Amino acid sequence: MGDSAATDGGDNSLSGRNVVEEVSRLVEQGKELQESASALISRNSQEDASLRQRALALDSNIKNLRSFIDSSVKKGNLDSKHAEKLSEELSRASYTLSEGDAATFLPCKSHGRLLRMFLGPINVRANRKDVQLKVKEEYYRFRDRTAYLFLFFPSLLLVLRSQVWDGCFPALPVQLYQAWLLFLYTALALRENILRVNGSDIRPWWIYHHYCAMGMALISLTWEIEKQPDCAQKQKGIQLFLRWAIMQGVAMLLQNRYQRQRLYTRIALGKARRMDVVWGETAGVKGQLWLLLPILFVLQAFEAYVGVLLLQTAVVGVVSEWQVVTCGILLIIMAVGNFANTVQTLVLKSQFKAKMKKGKSKSDLTKDQ
């Protein structure tokens, strides 16, 4: 028995020594891994800094050379046809730089106040192109989902008003809808700001439009909705706003369906960048423009009409709260801004098509000669 006890004691001490050695070995491995990771991060940081300097230098050289070519053509020191070929080559180099993986080393656009307010001083620019494209596709999915809801909710409220609520909206359903609108416009503004940081071409106006819509939705939450008396008169602005929202939902569905197909074609032809998104009225096919533009112009006119009607109800004294006046002004501002951007887009399209036709006619003439 004594020998057995001695043997057990020896095994326990041996097992204890093994555990101590294993702990020491793992501690050493942890230190080595930490040192290797630190060395890798330091090495990557140095390589990133070097690539960033090269990307900035290349971008600056392309811009300077393009300016030099333009000035040389104006002075007559360079043939225009030769300069056009050189500009095309520079455009290809610039496209490769801005659309390739090297684009992550170029300076990004300002994050904007909204992102800083919600997220703080955090860099939301993705370093990998596949991650940027995933952000864009997720933005599209969100727009697809919300377009149907944008069409469904106001339709449901109008049906319930006529069939269940005896021609008068109760306050809670309307306020819930306005709360959902506040969430929708805030989410769209955040996503679009992130897309701009990652190289998208969204015009600033469409983001400002969502800011105005956010403010209008927030203000409308404090708008007192009274049932009686004169319910139909006092809630006329709400009815028109819901009908306008239905038209907006139809326009969103058409934009999501037609314009995205056209954008993918333009990206394949090299006329658009992979991070570009559809906004406003970017449909490029003539048939699509004839379908979409009348809807957009009617929508903008109706939006302005609702804003004027709200101001009129405040002036007459039917509903004189400050919320009515503010929402009316915001609707008019958004309608005017949307109309101006629609016209600007059409002008840019016509100028681009005229330039393309002119260039094509010149090339045909050169071939004939």
Side-chain angles (χ1 to χ4, degrees):
M1 292 180 62
D3 295 339
S4 177
T7 303
D8 292 341
D11 292 340
N12 290 335
S13 61
L14 181 63
S15 176
R17 287 197 300 270
N18 290 339
V19 170
V20 172
E21 292 175 358
E22 184 67 16
V23 170
S24 300
R25 187 176 67 85
L26 293 179
V27 170
E28 290 298 324
Q29 288 182 355
K31 292 180 179 179
E32 291 176 0
L33 181 60
Q34 172 62 25
E35 292 175 357
S36 299
S38 298
L40 178 62
I41 292 174
S42 177
R43 185 165 59 251
N44 288 339
S45 298
Q46 294 175 357
E47 292 178 357
D48 286 348
S50 176
L51 290 174
R52 185 171 290 105
Q53 290 179 357
R54 291 172 58 187
L56 291 174
L58 179 59
D59 184 56
S60 178
N61 290 335
I62 290 175
K63 293 178 180 178
N64 292 335
L65 188 55
R66 184 178 283 119
S67 299
F68 177 77
I69 291 173
D70 293 338
S71 63
S72 298
V73 172
K74 292 179 180 179
K75 294 178 181 178
N77 298 331
L78 187 64
D79 182 65
S80 59
K81 294 181 179 179
H82 185 51
E84 186 176 353
K85 293 181 180 179
L86 294 176
S87 297
E88 290 178 359
E89 294 295 328
L90 286 178
S91 297
R92 293 192 187 98
S94 178
Y95 182 84
T96 303
L97 178 63
S98 61
E99 289 301 300
D101 294 332
T104 58
F105 300 103
L106 294 175
C108 63
K109 296 180 180 179
S110 175
H111 281 38
R113 294 181 180 179
L114 187 73
L115 287 179
R116 291 197 299 268
M117 181 176 64
F118 278 92
L119 303 179
I122 297 176
N123 185 14
V124 296
R125 183 174 185 179
N127 292 328
R128 293 168 49 185
K129 206 67 180 179
D130 58 336
V131 178
Q132 293 179 350
L133 295 175
K134 188 175 181 180
V135 172
K136 172 186 168 181
E137 290 303 320
E138 180 57 31
Y139 168 74
Y140 277 146
R141 293 193 193 99
F142 182 76
R143 279 184 52 174
D144 289 339
R145 295 193 301 266
T146 54
Y148 290 102
L149 294 176
F150 209 102
L151 188 62
F152 172 74
F153 285 151
S155 302
L156 178 63
L157 289 175
L158 289 173
V159 169
L160 291 176
R161 171 187 172 274
S162 60
Q163 301 294 330
V164 178
W165 294 329
D166 298 328
C168 289
F169 292 107
L172 182 60
V174 176
Q175 289 175 341
L176 288 175
Y177 172 65
Q178 297 290 356
W180 178 79
L181 282 181
L182 178 60
F183 160 76
L184 168 64
Y185 288 125
T186 305
L188 284 173
L190 284 171
R191 291 167 185 262
E192 288 168 353
N193 273 285
I194 292 174
L195 283 171
R196 275 185 59 82
V197 172
N198 284 276
S200 180
D201 68 333
I202 298 177
R203 285 188 180 179
W205 162 250
W206 301 114
I207 301 178
Y208 297 150
H209 175 273
H210 289 152
Y211 292 164
C212 294
M214 288 165 53
M216 187 176 64
L218 181 61
I219 292 171
S220 63
L221 283 172
T222 65
W223 189 350
E224 184 179 359
I225 301 174
E226 299 178 356
K227 279 192 173 183
Q228 299 294 340
D230 298 330
C231 172
Q233 183 68 21
K234 291 184 177 181
Q235 295 185 352
K236 188 175 181 180
I238 298 175
Q239 298 174 40
L240 290 173
F241 178 81
L242 292 176
R243 290 169 184 167
W244 168 80
I246 293 174
M247 296 177 64
Q248 177 72 21
V250 173
M252 289 175 64
L253 289 174
L254 289 174
Q255 290 171 356
N256 291 349
R257 178 178 178 181
Y258 291 122
Q259 294 180 342
R260 195 178 309 171
Q261 296 174 359
R262 179 59 180 171
L263 178 64
Y264 289 149
T265 303
R266 288 176 58 81
I267 292 173
L269 295 174
K271 297 180 180 179
R273 298 179 300 175
R274 287 186 293 172
M275 280 303 294
D276 290 353
V277 298
V278 294
W279 37 259
E281 47 294 315
T282 54
V285 181
K286 188 174 181 180
Q288 297 174 6
L289 287 174
W290 282 113
L291 174 65
L292 186 60
L293 285 176
I295 295 177
L296 289 173
F297 283 127
V298 171
L299 181 67
Q300 292 159 7
F302 194 72
E303 185 177 23
Y305 172 70
V306 174
V308 172
L309 181 66
L310 291 177
L311 293 178
Q312 184 179 359
T313 56
V315 172
V316 173
V318 177
V319 182
S320 57
E321 286 87 355
W322 67 271
Q323 293 94 332
V324 179
V325 177
T326 308
C327 289
I329 294 174
L330 288 174
L331 280 172
I332 295 173
I333 292 174
M334 288 189 290
V336 173
N338 290 340
F339 177 78
N341 275 266
T342 303
V343 173
Q344 183 180 7
T345 300
L346 293 177
V347 171
L348 291 175
K349 284 180 181 295
S350 62
Q351 292 176 350
F352 179 76
K353 289 181 179 179
K355 185 177 180 181
M356 292 294 293
K357 289 181 180 179
K358 185 178 180 181
K360 186 176 180 181
S361 62
K362 286 184 178 181
S363 61
D364 293 339
L365 182 61
T366 303
K367 290 181 181 178
D368 294 338
Q369 293 175 350

